[in-house]
Amino acid sequence: MSAAERTAALPGDPPGGRRAVAVWSIGVAVYFVAVIFRTSLGVAGLDAADRFHVNASALSAFSILQLLVYAGMQIPVGLLVDRLGTKKVLSIGALLFTAGQLGFAFSPSYGTALASRALLGCGDAMTFISVLRLGTRWFPARRGPLVAQLAGLVGMAGNLVSTLVLARLLHGVGWTPAFAGSALAGAVVLVLTLLFLKDHPEGQEPEPSGHRGGVYVRRQIAASWREPGTRLGLWVHFTTQFPAMVFLLLWGLPFLVEAQGLSRATAGELLTLVVLSNMVIGLVYGQIIARHHAARLPLALGTVGATTLLWAATLAYPGRHAPMWLLLVLCAVLGACGPASMIGFDFARPANPPERQGTASGITNMGGFVASMTTLFAIGVLLDATGDDYTVAFSVVFVLQALGVSQILRLRGRAARRERERLIASRVETVHVPA
């Protein structure tokens, strides 16, 4: 029996089933729409630069501010989910990101557009942690890795909609109708959440917390952070997610068009390949980790190594442009970054009890978005400083990967020991639970 299966045999484990799938699907639909809105700028970057008359650094500020708000909200959102439950937090999130998308559609100036992206980032920040919490409340623990990967896969499907559908709307009907029309999807998932979503199955209510105010907040954060698994999860997420996030969110299209000489249509197809690869690899990673818990770290580090190798080969290619086959392989490998980042939650989840899952997931989820925000800013600054030298600008990827890998290697032993101790303790507790 695998470690994951032994962990699943705890008293009070949720039963799963069709009802769980139905409720979880509503939460995932909210996340799906949030990702469409989050990544909409990725297909509109060049249009936004023309619309608001801004340079590369100012253009990157859209995504940086959005991710800054997103990353800064992760711990507060985790605390809110642990305190208020999934339904309330998801409803607030859907309201905020829909308002942000509408504001972006009608923004008359760069400043109001920035404010709209910040509002969107705030609402977006409330979605994924809530969906992870919903999964732990409705599905058995042994399903945790697969459920998390499936949530990430649906998110990437949102990215695919943004790449294919929103891009065509943008160039077909124009800026305001495209963004305002897409905001209708936010209103739909908000109504579904209010009417049908439930925080947990009947009879599975969590124990009420005895803590309130600042004491509760400090204890939740401190207890989650003390666990090596939480910190390892953060650094796995930090190291794996950002190369693809930066590519899809803003700089992929300009890199492929301006540095590699591709048409917008061809560049869009390569961005689509990243998304499709992500969806396929997410299913594979989820199945592997559900069956072989020890595969978590090799998969994460292997993804980092492959990403580093392909970026180095692309940027150092001696010709004026990298060949199409190399760009295809690069985009296919970038598709593994999202699924690899989900592995971070598979380190944080078993390290924390149910009442801290939201907080621990929030800490973990900060990693990749802090790395993405840093890289987005650095690339924009370096492009302006070097006269659009993408080779120099994208080299910042290697610096952050080196930092992340050093922290993963530092924490892996302590996290593994602590996880074994918790597993042994849970098995002893299960043995002593009366039938």
Side-chain angles (χ1 to χ4, degrees):
M1 183 181 291
S2 70
E5 290 169 332
R6 289 194 297 268
T7 304
L10 295 176
D13 214 16
R18 293 182 180 178
R19 174 67 171 161
V21 172
V23 173
W24 179 77
S25 296
I26 296 172
V28 171
V30 179
Y31 176 57
F32 172 76
V33 174
V35 173
I36 295 175
F37 292 178
R38 178 202 303 170
T39 58
S40 58
L41 188 61
V43 297
L46 297 177
D47 299 270
D50 292 337
R51 180 180 177 86
F52 300 112
H53 310 291
V54 294
N55 61 12
S57 296
L59 181 60
S60 67
F62 279 122
S63 296
I64 291 168
L65 179 60
Q66 183 179 333
L67 292 185
L68 178 63
V69 172
Y70 187 104
M73 286 287 293
Q74 287 309 291
I75 292 177
V77 166
L79 291 164
L80 284 173
V81 171
D82 287 337
R83 283 287 300 276
L84 301 180
T86 300
K87 181 172 184 173
K88 291 180 180 178
V89 177
L90 271 181
S91 299
I92 296 170
L95 181 64
L96 290 177
F97 67 60
T98 301
Q101 188 78 339
L102 272 175
F104 197 58
F106 293 101
S107 291
S109 66
Y110 178 69
T112 54
L114 272 178
S116 297
R117 295 306 286 187
L119 186 63
L120 192 157
C122 186
D124 182 18
M126 297 183 175
T127 59
F128 189 63
I129 300 303
S130 299
V131 171
L132 288 179
R133 173 62 176 262
L134 201 64
T136 62
R137 288 297 185 192
W138 281 90
F139 292 97
R142 70 181 183 276
R143 300 295 184 193
L146 184 57
V147 168
Q149 289 287 355
L150 285 173
L153 185 151
V154 173
M156 290 310 296
N159 200 327
L160 190 62
V161 169
S162 178
T163 303
L164 296 178
V165 180
L166 190 58
R168 292 182 181 178
L169 280 175
L170 183 64
H171 297 118
V173 301
W175 181 281
T176 299
F179 281 101
S182 67
L184 292 175
V188 171
V189 294
L190 174 60
V191 171
L192 289 175
T193 301
L194 292 172
L195 292 180
F196 301 113
L197 193 134
K198 302 293 183 185
D199 285 333
H200 45 71
E202 303 230 352
Q204 296 279 339
E205 295 83 357
E207 291 290 331
S209 171
H211 304 296
R212 294 291 183 269
V215 173
Y216 169 81
V217 170
R218 288 193 296 272
R219 288 185 179 180
Q220 284 286 94
I221 295 174
S224 298
W225 184 255
R226 277 197 299 269
E227 292 291 345
T230 304
R231 283 175 279 145
L232 178 60
L234 180 148
W235 284 107
V236 168
H237 200 269
F238 177 101
T239 313
T240 54
Q241 187 202 45
F242 79 93
M245 176 68 72
V246 167
F247 198 78
L248 290 170
L249 199 59
L250 183 61
W251 291 121
L253 188 69
F255 169 75
L256 294 171
V257 172
E258 297 177 353
Q260 299 302 320
L262 302 181
S263 67
R264 279 198 180 200
T266 304
E269 291 170 357
L270 287 175
L271 294 179
T272 302
L273 174 61
V274 178
V275 177
L276 293 174
S277 173
N278 183 300
M279 296 171 72
V280 173
I281 294 173
L283 287 174
V284 174
Y285 277 20
Q287 293 285 357
I288 291 174
I289 295 170
R291 289 172 169 77
H292 308 285
H293 224 43
R296 292 172 299 172
L297 202 57
L299 284 176
L301 292 176
T303 301
V304 174
T307 306
T308 303
L309 178 64
L310 266 298
W311 263 122
T314 302
L315 297 177
Y317 192 79
R320 183 180 177 187
H321 302 309
M324 179 57 71
W325 68 264
L326 183 55
L327 295 176
L328 286 168
V329 176
L330 170 67
C331 290
V333 170
L334 284 175
C337 291
S341 72
M342 300 298 297
I343 296 172
F345 299 103
D346 293 322
F347 286 107
R349 188 184 303 110
N352 293 274
E355 62 271 17
R356 287 206 310 265
Q357 288 294 319
T359 305
S361 295
I363 292 172
T364 300
N365 207 30
M366 284 181 63
F369 289 93
V370 168
S372 297
M373 179 178 58
T374 304
T375 308
L376 283 167
F377 175 74
I379 289 175
V381 170
L382 288 171
L383 285 174
D384 285 339
T386 61
D388 292 338
D389 188 330
Y390 280 89
T391 299
V392 173
F394 271 83
S395 295
V396 73
V397 169
F398 306 128
V399 178
L400 271 74
Q401 285 182 321
L403 172 63
V405 168
S406 68
Q407 295 302 310
I408 291 171
L409 297 178
R410 182 177 67 86
L411 288 164
R412 61 177 179 171
R414 275 179 279 176
R417 286 193 297 272
R418 179 64 175 144
E419 190 170 306
R420 284 195 298 269
E421 291 169 2
R422 290 183 67 89
L423 179 59
I424 292 170
S426 68
R427 291 176 65 190
V428 171
E429 181 182 343
T430 303
V431 169
H432 288 88
V433 171

